Every structure is written in C-alpha cells, then in structure tokens.
Amino acid sequence: QVQLVESGGGSVQDGGSLRLSCVVFGYSYIPYCMGWFRQAPGKEREGVAVIDSEGSTRYADSVKGRFTISKDNFKNILYLQMNSLKPEDTAMYYCAVDSFTLSEYGGSWSPGDFGTWGQGTQVTVSS
C-alpha cells in the first residue's frame, strides 16, 4: 500500500524559509512523477513543483526562483525547499505521486494527473 507522509510545515514571517518533506512508503515504480501542490481556503488546489524519474522538474510561475524540489532516491523522500516566502504562499501543501513522466504529458501537470496523495502540511506566512 502506497502512503505519503508530509512534514515540515509551520508558521514563518514574510521572507522566511521552510523545507517540506514527503516520505514515500511502498512506491518504487519507474517511471514516476512526484509533486507538491497547495490549496488555500476557498481556492482550488494548484501545482507548485514536480519532479519525475527522468530528473525533469517543473515549477509554477509564482514560485520560480524561490522554491526548489528535490528527491532523495535512497531514502525515498521528496523535498520542497521554500525561500523568500510570501503571505500568498499560505496554504495546505500536499505531495502526490503517479506513474508517468513529464515528457509523456508534453510537460504539463495538474492535480488530476495524480492518484496518490498525502494528508497535507500547513504553511502559514505572516506579513
């Protein structure tokens, strides 16, 4: 059974940093695409960043240059380093995984492409 467990969320000031972690249990398939998504109250879930088994990454325009996605393949942990955080980054952050590569989807990625999700970790950025 595949299970994703996020951690690392918290409350920070505007301009602060956080690193989110997502431990992946029971998923060792190739190919894969793993990503971070977020959902603020009253808004739809949106993609933040993804990484696939070919090493390709994609970022939402709103986080480019501030966030970095990475994966420790030995430990099977997905990370999201978030720097220069802004109040508009406040949301519940989720990790997700599915068996495709970005090249298969023409580089596109959306929440509906992913079938397995974690429970989320809250990030709050205050001004």
Side-chain angles (χ1 to χ4, degrees):
Q1 183 178 354
V2 180
Q3 186 178 11
L4 308 179
V5 181
E6 302 100 330
S7 62
S11 296
V12 296
Q13 296 271 341
D14 190 354
S17 297
L18 284 172
R19 187 176 79 157
L20 305 183
S21 299
C22 173
V23 181
V24 183
F25 296 98
Y27 193 97
S28 58
Y29 307 115
I30 299 291
Y32 65 77
C33 189
M34 295 184 178
W36 288 98
F37 298 80
R38 65 187 181 187
Q39 188 167 18
K43 294 188 177 181
E44 291 187 356
R45 191 168 298 189
E46 63 177 2
V48 176
V50 289
I51 185 167
D52 70 11
S53 50
E54 295 179 343
S56 296
T57 59
R58 298 286 189 278
Y59 294 91
D61 288 343
S62 59
V63 306
K64 282 181 181 176
R66 300 188 298 124
F67 291 9
T68 302
I69 190 170
S70 62
K71 185 174 182 288
D72 184 324
N73 291 319
F74 181 74
K75 296 180 179 178
N76 219 12
I77 301 176
L78 183 70
Y79 297 104
L80 184 69
Q81 178 66 44
M82 305 186 294
N83 298 327
S84 302
L85 282 161
K86 305 175 182 180
E88 50 264 43
D89 294 317
T90 295
M92 184 72 78
Y93 282 70
Y94 301 89
C95 66
V97 63
D98 215 303
S99 56
F100 66 93
T101 60
L102 292 167
S103 60
E104 295 177 45
Y105 280 36
S108 66
W109 48 288
S110 66
D113 296 328
F114 294 80
T116 302
W117 293 81
Q119 83 290 346
T121 185
Q122 177 68 37
V123 172
T124 303
V125 185
S126 57
S127 57

